[in-house]
Amino acid sequence: MPVVRFAVSALLNTLPYIVFAVLLIAGLKAAGAETVIAEAFKGRETRMILMAAMFGGLAPFCSCEVIPFIAGLLALGAPLSAVMAFWLSSPLIDPPTLLITAAALGWPFAIGKAVSAVALGLFGGFAIKAAMGAGWFAEPLRAIKQSRCGCGPDPFTGKPVWRFWQTQERRETFRAEFIANGIFLIKWLALAYVLEALLVTYVPASAIADVVGGEGIVPIGIAALVGMPAYLNSYVAPPLLAGLIDQGMSNGAAMAFMISGAVSSVPAMAAVWSLVKKPVFAAYIGLGVTGAIVSGVIFQTLV
């Protein structure tokens, strides 16, 4: 019963954030906001990197829409540097994730993760730009097959319609997205809070503190490396990390765990693996781990 009471109370406290997040993402999808993202990949390369890193956290794509979107950008000649900036920032944050992170860990964590997402995208984008300027990754792409998964509109056509409620089809899209995302978030957060309750109740605090507690870069590095194979999606990770922090995990280690886990998500890695060759994929993983550790160190220093 203590576990059940803990999980139910935490879920109810998060419910306002869930409702707002679901309304926001349903509105973005109904309006066709993904067409705005393609605008980030126009102009000079430096501008593209900057825009791709910032827009990465706003892209309302499902996991299967990312691959054809990126494939289309590469086929149209978008530079790998800008695409890498988008790839690195996109899995880390989006409007629902921002709100869920704030509800579970507080706004400093949520804002820190959002800033880290943009910073990691910029770091990766400019690193790839410098590497290609030095002659690396001369032929980074696999053969691109243009295909659509059928779960959303073509992101390269049309314009967003912000007053989506004036069209029957878009109202239906809003309703369908609201229901689907609401069920998705409640399902995963219910699981997350049960895991947090079990963790706080049964796992000794000393065990957590010995591994990822305390000051210094070592706990942060361990958390970043553990976070990749132990990936939890962005809705499960914040409540679980709240339990780990209560048990002695440092703030920097928690930030590193969140970032490295998001980079190693199956949709994110599948998108990269399916479109680029192995050296570029290795660079993606390396940039993600390095960025997670640096973000953890900076967050630990500031918070």
Side-chain angles (χ1 to χ4, degrees):
M1 288 307 298
V3 172
V4 173
R5 285 196 295 269
F6 183 103
V8 171
S9 175
L11 186 62
L12 290 177
N13 288 336
T14 312
L15 192 59
Y17 293 89
I18 296 174
V19 172
F20 186 80
V22 171
L23 286 171
L24 181 59
I25 196 67
L28 288 172
K29 292 294 292 185
E34 59 265 40
T35 60
V36 177
I37 308 301
E39 296 297 319
F41 295 88
K42 296 179 181 179
R44 295 183 178 181
E45 185 176 4
T46 299
R47 176 192 176 276
M48 282 190 273
I49 294 172
L50 293 171
M51 297 298 291
M54 288 189 290
F55 275 125
L58 301 175
F61 294 127
C62 71
S63 60
C64 61
E65 282 179 309
V66 172
I67 296 175
F69 181 83
I70 294 296
L73 290 172
L74 292 171
L76 291 172
L80 179 64
S81 56
V83 171
M84 184 64 74
F86 184 86
W87 265 333
L88 287 169
S89 63
S90 182
L92 290 176
I93 201 74
D94 54 42
T97 301
L98 180 71
L99 294 173
I100 297 305
T101 303
L105 296 170
W107 279 105
F109 258 98
I111 294 171
K113 188 179 180 184
V115 171
S116 295
V118 176
L120 181 56
L122 293 174
F123 167 62
F126 284 112
I128 293 297
K129 182 177 184 292
M132 296 188 73
W136 295 8
F137 311 131
E139 296 181 1
L141 305 181
R142 298 176 186 265
I144 298 175
K145 295 181 179 179
Q146 288 283 22
S147 63
R148 299 288 173 189
C149 63
C151 63
D154 186 340
F156 300 101
T157 61
K159 295 181 179 180
V161 179
W162 300 114
R163 296 183 179 182
F164 60 85
W165 54 86
Q166 297 178 348
T167 305
Q168 175 64 24
E169 181 181 356
R170 293 182 182 272
R171 289 198 300 268
E172 292 176 358
T173 299
F174 177 87
R175 181 181 62 82
E177 291 290 337
F178 181 85
I179 294 172
N181 283 285
I183 294 173
F184 179 84
L185 282 176
I186 291 174
K187 175 183 67 176
W188 280 108
L189 286 172
L191 171 63
Y193 285 125
V194 169
L195 292 175
E196 180 186 0
L198 291 171
L199 179 71
V200 171
T201 304
Y202 294 111
V203 177
S206 59
I208 304 298
D210 288 344
V211 178
V212 288
E215 303 294 330
I217 195 173
V218 174
I220 294 173
I222 292 173
L225 294 175
V226 171
M228 297 194 73
Y231 169 73
L232 298 169
N233 73 39
S234 296
Y235 307 113
V236 176
L240 184 60
L241 283 171
L244 288 170
I245 290 172
D246 289 341
Q247 300 292 84
M249 188 180 204
S250 70
N251 289 335
M255 181 62 71
F257 185 97
M258 275 200 300
I259 292 175
S260 66
V263 168
S264 70
S265 71
V266 173
M269 290 199 297
V272 181
W273 180 263
S274 65
L275 298 175
V276 298
K277 295 181 179 178
K278 293 178 182 178
V280 180
F281 180 80
Y284 169 81
I285 298 297
L287 290 167
V289 174
T290 302
I293 294 173
V294 172
S295 297
V297 171
I298 295 174
F299 190 74
Q300 180 81 1
T301 303
L302 296 177
V303 177

